[in-house]
Amino acid sequence: SSSITINNSTSYPLILRYYGPSVLKVTIPAYGNKSMTLSSGSYKVAATAGGLNYAGTEYLSGSYESKYYISSY
């Protein structure tokens, strides 16, 4: 299994969805943190905060931390 800590560095609630060996939907409050455990493997990840969306893939194995933020580029 993989241990993940998510840091929401936005002023909006962050909704994350993981699709892979495990399926998870979690909402993290503005400027909040959440730790969770998922089965290791390849995941499609979708994130929404403040009406903005992100989608990508991640391979989970071991422990790590991810930080989500909004950039105005």
Side-chain angles (χ1 to χ4, degrees):
S1 63
S2 296
S3 175
I4 307 159
T5 300
I6 303 295
N7 180 296
N8 178 7
S9 294
T10 76
S11 59
Y12 304 98
L14 172 67
I15 301 168
L16 284 174
R17 294 172 184 86
Y18 284 85
Y19 302 99
S22 299
V23 176
L24 176 71
K25 178 183 174 186
V26 63
T27 301
I28 303 168
Y31 304 110
N33 297 299
K34 173 83 175 174
S35 294
M36 57 195 136
T37 301
L38 293 170
S39 297
S40 296
S42 183
Y43 284 84
K44 291 182 181 178
V45 181
T48 303
L52 301 172
N53 300 304
Y54 161 82
T57 58
E58 293 183 18
Y59 184 83
L60 305 183
S61 180
S63 319
Y64 74 98
E65 185 172 327
S66 289
K67 183 178 202 176
Y68 286 82
Y69 59 93
I70 296 173
S71 178
S72 60
Y73 290 114

